[in-house]
Amino acid sequence: MSNFTKSSSFNRRALSSLAIESPRNSSSSVFTSPIGSAFASPRSQNFGGSPRPSTNRLKEISYLFQVLIIAGTIVSFLVIIAGGYLYVVPSLGQTFLGYNGALEFNSSVAGDRECDIFDGNWVVDDNYPLYNASECPFVEKGFNCLGNGREHDEYLKWRWKPKHCTVPRFEVRDVLERLRGKRIVFVGDSMSRTQWESLICMLMTGLEDKRSVYEVNGNNITKRIRFLGVRFSSFNFTVEFYRSVFLVQPGRLRWHAPKRVKSTLKLDVLDVINHEWSSADFLIFNTGQWWVPGKLFETGCYFQVGNSLRLGMSIPAAYRVALETWASWIENTIDPNKTRVLFRTFEPSHWSDHRSCNVTKYPAPDTEGRDKSIFSEMIKEVVKNMTIPVSILDVTSMSAFRSDGHVGLWSDNPLVPDCSHWCLPGVPDIWNEILLFFLFRQQVKT
């Protein structure tokens, strides 16, 4: 998707002028049935001696009656069987309707291929936002842009509309029921934490007793804490976040290393807290924002494989090795009958060439190349070669248009502009709607 299609919804009058085209009315046509002609009244018999219907004619009429009776019996039998099957197995109906009847699956399939839900446009929708950040205790203050003084709220009104299918509307009670007894785990960097916060706030809108939702260790939401878990006690499920910005394990400084080396990143060893993830029902990974020179080489952090220090290894090459390590762990640890695995691709930032941050009022008309990421392409390549099923949440291209959705100067530290992180509510809510689509579609198919 290279170009952004401006919605006519920029002009609210234009919105009101749009009309939904109804199906074309088909004109009635005259149909002359051969059966009808067989039942045409014979000419009035006069007493002068008109011939009676032949024996063959009577046999033809009898035969047509028998065909009609047999056909009607078969059709009635099939209708009864189909209705009973849908009643006994309601999940079959969900297979065609999606969760909560919101998704029309026939519009999500082109031929025999599933629709690409990530190929679409942003359109204005006044049903958004899905929650108020000031009323959700799990939103970091730095992400509550409206609460931090952002005046324009147009960035809250955008919905993702795929070109050939539909993202189901968020029905919170239905989602809460489907998550009952489950364990949802996010693993990654601060972008993963933002998505985690977003999902919790979305789910809390369906609860009258907000006190039934709490962090399991009584912790406040902070940037550096390694684990955060929020329990929805009324539905017996948890939504958890594990901070693992590289997914692989940071190493200790080796005494004989060059002076510029202050620490290492062990590319062939997964983060030591990985044992906490494996029992999740839904496991969502991301990594990318920390794979930059400013977070690595400029801080003295270099790559290590085995006992070998790889001073000349590039960041993309190291990222690929780390992904292979993650993939190997998935293959050897995860039970696909228990755990659904997803990987969210790289989320683009909108810094200018001179590292300035200019948050726009509306989505950008063009991605300016931000819809492509070498990290996202590597994720797809690695996942393609895995035997354990992994769903890719390919948010790179769709998020590339959203130069209006970043924190900018409306954070808890307005002196430091931010064109990487996202306001809440905002773009991460749409990621979560797509995430739920993937999870629930899998439920009805299994």
Side-chain angles (χ1 to χ4, degrees):
M1 178 175 57
S2 60
N3 293 317
F4 169 75
T5 303
K6 287 188 178 179
S7 170
S8 59
S9 303
F10 277 115
N11 189 325
R12 299 309 172 102
R13 296 184 203 169
L15 272 177
S16 62
S17 68
L18 292 175
I20 300 175
E21 187 173 346
S22 59
R24 198 168 44 198
N25 292 326
S26 54
S27 59
S28 59
S29 58
V30 178
F31 175 71
T32 304
S33 170
I35 298 176
S37 63
F39 286 92
S41 298
R43 284 181 299 179
S44 300
Q45 298 179 5
N46 56 32
F47 291 97
S50 297
R52 295 186 179 182
S54 66
T55 303
N56 290 336
R57 188 77 166 188
L58 292 174
K59 287 182 178 180
E60 180 182 353
I61 294 172
S62 176
Y63 175 76
L64 288 173
F65 263 122
Q66 292 177 17
V67 170
L68 287 173
I69 292 171
I70 293 172
T73 302
I74 293 174
V75 170
S76 300
F77 178 77
L78 292 175
V79 169
I80 293 170
I81 293 299
Y85 190 68
L86 287 174
Y87 179 79
V88 174
V89 189
S91 62
L92 181 65
Q94 292 176 349
T95 302
F96 290 95
L97 294 174
Y99 77 83
N100 203 44
L103 176 66
E104 295 182 1
F105 237 92
N106 60 350
S107 66
S108 300
V109 180
D112 293 329
R113 299 176 303 165
E114 290 186 1
C115 165
D116 181 2
I117 202 169
F118 301 104
D119 179 18
N121 303 302
W122 292 97
V123 297
V124 171
D125 190 327
D126 287 330
N127 292 309
Y128 289 81
L130 300 175
Y131 57 88
N132 184 338
S134 297
E135 297 175 356
C136 181
F138 298 100
V139 169
E140 291 177 57
K141 182 180 179 182
F143 298 154
N144 183 3
C145 297
L146 281 184
N148 293 326
R150 184 168 183 174
E151 296 179 356
H152 300 290
D153 65 352
E154 285 84 357
Y155 73 97
L156 297 171
K157 303 294 184 179
W158 293 91
R159 171 174 63 87
W160 180 249
K161 180 177 173 50
K163 291 180 179 177
H164 305 293
C165 49
T166 304
V167 178
R169 294 282 183 179
F170 177 66
E171 299 288 347
V172 63
R173 294 297 300 183
D174 181 65
V175 175
L176 288 168
E177 284 295 341
R178 288 180 179 274
L179 293 179
R180 187 183 291 275
K182 303 295 185 182
R183 182 172 175 238
I184 306 99
V185 172
F186 290 86
V187 180
D189 53 29
S190 57
M191 300 297 175
S192 182
R193 190 179 70 250
T194 306
Q195 187 177 2
W196 172 80
E197 295 175 20
S198 161
L199 181 60
I200 293 169
C201 294
M202 290 168 64
L203 296 174
M204 286 188 69
T205 61
L207 300 175
E208 293 183 5
D209 183 9
K210 310 298 184 185
R211 295 172 299 177
S212 66
V213 182
Y214 55 89
E215 205 286 321
V216 293
N217 293 318
N219 291 320
N220 294 321
I221 311 301
T222 63
K223 298 179 180 180
R224 297 292 179 181
I225 195 166
R226 283 276 267 169
F227 167 74
L228 291 163
V230 170
R231 179 174 175 78
F232 286 72
S233 58
S234 301
F235 291 86
N236 189 33
F237 70 81
T238 57
V239 185
E240 305 171 24
F241 167 70
Y242 288 87
R243 185 176 185 268
S244 180
V245 298
F246 296 110
L247 299 184
V248 290
Q249 179 63 25
R252 295 181 178 179
L253 177 65
R254 301 172 63 183
W255 64 271
H256 58 282
K259 289 184 178 181
R260 70 174 187 268
V261 179
K262 307 299 180 184
S263 62
T264 64
L265 192 62
K266 303 174 73 173
L267 301 176
D268 57 340
V269 180
L270 205 66
D271 196 319
V272 293
I273 61 173
N274 68 76
H275 63 279
E276 300 284 353
W277 315 335
S278 57
S279 64
D281 295 285
F282 306 119
L283 192 50
I284 304 102
F285 292 93
N286 97 294
T287 184
Q289 292 291 332
W290 282 61
W291 293 85
V292 292
K295 299 287 188 180
L296 291 165
F297 306 144
E298 294 174 17
T299 66
C301 181
Y302 290 83
F303 304 122
Q304 178 181 343
V305 178
N307 293 322
S308 175
L309 192 61
R310 303 292 181 87
L311 294 178
M313 179 178 280
S314 69
I315 290 177
Y319 189 86
R320 179 62 180 253
V321 175
L323 284 180
E324 297 285 1
T325 299
W326 165 83
S328 177
W329 179 84
I330 293 291
E331 301 275 22
N332 296 317
T333 307
I334 294 300
D335 177 4
N337 296 317
K338 158 68 176 173
T339 303
R340 181 77 190 278
V341 181
L342 305 98
F343 204 116
R344 180 168 53 74
T345 61
F346 185 74
E347 51 291 297
S349 60
H350 287 85
W351 297 96
S352 71
D353 294 338
H354 302 289
R355 200 61 183 175
S356 63
C357 178
N358 179 29
V359 178
T360 59
K361 187 176 181 179
Y362 300 110
D366 188 82
T367 62
E368 297 180 353
R370 293 183 174 90
D371 57 327
K372 304 295 183 184
S373 164
I374 189 173
F375 293 156
S376 296
E377 294 307 313
M378 285 185 186
I379 293 167
K380 296 174 187 177
E381 291 173 6
V382 170
V383 167
K384 182 173 61 177
N385 295 320
M386 296 175 65
T387 59
I388 298 292
V390 176
S391 297
I392 296 178
L393 299 179
D394 190 5
V395 305
T396 305
S397 182
M398 61 183 291
S399 304
F401 291 108
R402 296 304 307 273
S403 55
D404 61 323
H406 290 290
V407 169
L409 298 174
W410 303 285
S411 70
D412 52 351
N413 185 3
L415 298 178
V416 181
D418 187 348
C419 266
S420 295
H421 293 92
W422 305 91
C423 295
L424 291 180
V427 174
D429 306 331
I430 308 301
W431 299 346
N432 279 324
E433 287 191 296
I434 295 175
L435 167 66
L436 295 171
F437 164 76
F438 272 81
L439 298 184
F440 295 161
R441 181 183 62 172
Q442 180 72 7
Q443 281 188 6
V444 299
K445 284 189 174 182
T446 55

